[in-house]
Amino acid sequence: MTSTLEVRKSAGATGPAPARLPPLTSSHRRWRLPGLDTLYTMVFAVVGLGVGIERLSDNSFFLHLRTGRWILERGIPHVDPFSYVAAGTDWVAQSWLAETLYAALERVAGPFAIRVLVATVAVAVFVVAFRLALHLVGDRVRAALLTVSTLGPVFVLWSERPLIFGVLFLLVVIWLVEIPSSWVGRHEVAVLVIVFWLWANIHGSFALGFAYLGLHVLGRWAQGAAPWRGRERTLVVATGAAFAVCFLTPYGPDLVAFPVELVTRSEALRDVVEWSSPDFHRASGIVFLAWVLVFAAVLATTRRRASIRDLIVTLPFLALGFWALRNIAIAPLVALPVLARAVAVPASFPVGRIARHRARRDQAPSRPFVSMILVVLGVLSVTLVVRASSEPDFAFSGYPVRAMDAVAADGLLGRRLLTDDADGGYVLLRYGLRQPVFLDDRFDMYPQPVLDDFTVVNGGQPGWDRVLERRDVEVVVWGRDRVLTQLLRREPGWREIHHDRLHVVFVRDDVAS
């Protein structure tokens, strides 16, 4: 960074140079307090800790954890062991590495260790996003505001699913591309190979990482930087090497093809919330829409226009955000550097203004102020961890806990049970192979006829009774106020054996007797 003195000299300023201070002793270095950049970073780290340390409550995570337990006990699955209507169906457990990690942590240190892992990933996401913005903006306040607006959609959708690793890996790839002078940026091949191997074995969003790199190279080509020369050539080679190692998995090409095959099953995904377009009446949709408005306003009002490369990279990801709810956490991250450059301190500032800006940024805060902030952040961090460690690690509110207790008490555990897909994850986590399910949220695996049958019973559509008969369903655990519950209460051949505030249990007469 150019010093204030160098700026003065370049502007023709005269006068004696300021006296040099004696070098700091080792004791001074040891007790040197962090600057404002570090304090801002620590604030984002604490926020990430608070977001990530929450209790484990996601139904998809329940299934991931159950799969991890299976892997530790029996190895990588290749056919479905959990559903009685799809038993033996080919299954690519695409997140097998994350699932194994979840189960291993649980076995060694209990489920709280999983919460610590999730919190660590959250801290890394918040810190890397802020430092990326700070590097490109050159101003703490602007970088902080930009990071908050960017991470808003991430915060709304945050859960303990393996997607969180994909968010972090995407940030690493963006950092590599946007800051080529960094250590990550100077070691493209090694970093991309390691990141994409991990990413491909953890979550299907690795395909978006390759899409980002491809769009970046295409955008640079449109600006005159050919992909067979310079750094673009290095990125192309690194991307090719990263793609090659993605085939080194327990599933081989099937895992690499998984994201493509998934998005082509539009009929299977039509009723899946995370694959539907954002609902702008809900918090997730509102936050994403607010970010889109910020994105548009910044690009429309700042003097620094987005380049062709920036538009080629960001617009497709913006479209992906409008296409599927699961992508609204990804699009803002891709656009973060574009917005950062748009609101950065302009290079055209007069020399005196640059000097004053840098002086303000480099000015060290007072020791009492820094000490107070450090104490507050430390106390807050300890409070978050202590509170988290003193509460149950799993949050099962909303799941059929009492209903399944009733099923077990009546000796019905192991019967052909029907629940909705979300409750299926809870049932599998709690009972495993002792209680197979009709359906869980692996919509990528289930044959379409199974999904069609579930759609019929889930909506109480005509023919629901024939589905239950054809699939030989014996026990139904269903939401108390849902359509199927009202139909079963009027249907001969079924009896209600339990109800609570949330769920009702029905048993077929011949099974109950």
Side-chain angles (χ1 to χ4, degrees):
M1 179 181 293
T2 306
S3 67
T4 303
L5 177 59
E6 290 171 333
V7 173
R8 285 168 49 85
K9 286 181 177 180
S10 65
T14 59
R20 291 181 176 272
L21 296 176
L24 294 175
T25 64
S26 59
S27 60
H28 286 151
R29 292 194 187 97
R30 189 181 306 118
W31 295 105
R32 183 179 179 181
L33 293 175
L36 284 178
D37 286 357
T38 304
L39 287 180
Y40 271 70
T41 304
M42 293 173 68
V43 169
F44 277 97
V46 173
V47 174
L49 174 64
V51 170
I53 202 70
E54 289 298 316
R55 299 168 67 187
L56 307 172
S57 61
D58 184 81
N59 65 283
S60 291
F61 165 77
F62 294 162
L63 180 61
H64 287 303
L65 180 55
R66 168 52 63 187
T67 305
R69 294 173 182 173
W70 172 279
I71 292 173
L72 292 183
E73 296 168 1
R74 310 192 185 200
I76 305 293
H78 291 269
V79 295
D80 171 58
F82 298 135
S83 169
Y84 61 85
V85 296
T89 301
D90 290 341
W91 176 33
V92 175
Q94 196 275 322
S95 297
W96 71 270
L97 186 58
E99 292 160 348
T100 305
L101 179 58
Y102 289 149
L105 288 174
E106 181 193 41
R107 177 174 292 187
V108 172
F112 185 72
I114 302 176
R115 298 172 65 186
V116 173
L117 170 67
V118 176
T120 302
V121 175
V123 169
V125 167
F126 277 66
V127 167
V128 172
F130 171 70
R131 297 299 296 195
L132 175 64
L134 180 63
H135 184 94
L136 296 175
V137 172
D139 179 82
R140 284 181 295 268
V141 175
R142 298 185 192 187
L145 293 175
L146 183 58
T147 305
V148 169
S149 66
T150 299
L151 293 180
V154 180
F155 170 77
V156 171
L157 294 181
W158 187 268
S159 72
E160 57 272 24
R161 297 185 183 192
L163 175 60
I164 62 176
F165 295 96
V167 171
L168 178 58
F169 291 144
L170 178 61
L171 275 172
V172 173
V173 174
I174 293 173
W175 187 291
L176 180 147
V177 169
E178 296 289 348
I179 311 180
S181 61
S182 64
W183 185 92
V184 171
R186 296 193 309 271
H187 299 80
E188 302 98 326
V189 177
V191 171
L192 289 183
V193 165
I194 294 172
V195 165
F196 274 100
W197 185 87
L198 292 171
W199 196 351
N201 287 280
I202 285 178
H203 196 261
S205 58
F206 75 93
L208 296 178
F210 284 118
Y212 170 79
L213 289 170
L215 290 171
H216 166 74
V217 172
L218 179 63
R220 291 286 295 153
W221 194 1
Q223 293 182 165
W228 53 85
R229 290 197 299 266
R231 187 165 193 263
E232 282 63 42
R233 178 180 180 276
T234 304
L235 282 178
V236 170
V237 172
T239 302
F243 183 71
V245 300
C246 290
F247 289 87
L248 303 178
T249 74
Y251 297 100
D254 290 341
L255 187 141
V256 179
F258 175 87
V260 177
E261 294 180 355
L262 178 61
V263 298
T264 58
R265 295 196 62 187
S266 57
E267 189 177 3
L269 301 175
R270 64 188 177 190
D271 297 322
V272 182
V273 173
E274 65 181 287
W275 284 98
S276 61
S277 298
D279 183 351
F280 296 112
H281 294 90
R282 295 180 178 273
S284 55
I286 293 173
V287 172
F288 179 63
L289 180 60
W291 174 84
V292 171
L293 294 176
V294 169
F295 177 77
V298 169
L299 294 188
T301 58
T302 55
R303 295 181 179 178
R304 192 169 299 175
R305 301 299 182 185
S307 66
I308 296 176
R309 175 267 174 197
D310 290 342
L311 295 178
I312 289 177
V313 169
T314 56
L315 292 182
F317 278 91
L318 185 63
L320 287 176
F322 282 103
W323 173 56
L325 182 65
R326 62 185 287 126
N327 294 324
I328 70 173
I330 300 296
L333 297 178
V334 173
L336 174 61
V338 178
L339 293 178
R341 283 190 289 271
V343 301
V345 177
S348 59
F349 268 20
V351 173
R353 293 179 66 185
I354 293 178
R356 289 195 297 273
H357 172 75
R358 288 174 174 165
R360 287 196 302 271
R361 178 175 176 182
D362 297 335
Q363 184 179 5
S366 65
R367 293 182 66 88
F369 172 78
V370 174
S371 300
M372 179 187 68
I373 297 299
L374 290 176
V375 169
V376 171
L377 294 177
V379 170
L380 184 56
S381 300
V382 171
T383 302
L384 289 172
V385 174
V386 170
R387 178 189 65 82
S389 62
S390 63
E391 62 186 2
D393 293 309
F394 292 98
F396 292 139
S397 60
Y399 293 103
V401 178
R402 295 175 57 189
M404 289 305 301
D405 288 341
V407 170
D410 278 23
L412 299 171
L413 207 60
R415 295 285 188 169
R416 296 172 72 89
L417 171 71
L418 171 67
T419 68
D420 71 13
D421 55 300
D423 290 340
Y426 163 77
V427 171
L428 289 175
L429 176 68
R430 184 174 178 184
Y431 298 105
L433 294 183
R434 290 186 296 157
Q435 180 55 73
V437 297
F438 187 105
L439 191 83
D440 50 64
D441 69 351
R442 293 172 295 165
F443 290 88
D444 56 279
M445 183 211 72
Y446 281 96
Q448 191 59 47
V450 174
L451 298 176
D452 292 339
D453 283 350
F454 181 76
T455 299
V456 171
V457 297
N458 188 43
Q461 299 174 13
W464 65 270
D465 51 342
R466 292 191 296 274
V467 171
L468 297 186
E469 181 181 359
R470 186 173 68 255
R471 297 293 184 180
D472 193 24
V473 175
E474 300 172 310
V475 181
V476 176
V477 175
W478 211 249
R480 179 170 182 170
D481 299 324
R482 297 174 65 181
V483 175
L484 182 61
T485 298
Q486 311 311 317
L487 294 172
L488 283 171
R489 279 175 169 161
R490 299 194 297 266
E491 181 71 10
W494 290 86
R495 69 179 65 176
E496 180 180 327
I497 65 169
H498 168 84
H499 68 270
D500 55 51
R501 184 175 59 88
L502 297 175
H503 294 87
V504 181
V505 179
F506 296 95
V507 182
R508 210 169 62 198
D509 278 345
D510 62 319
V511 175
S513 61

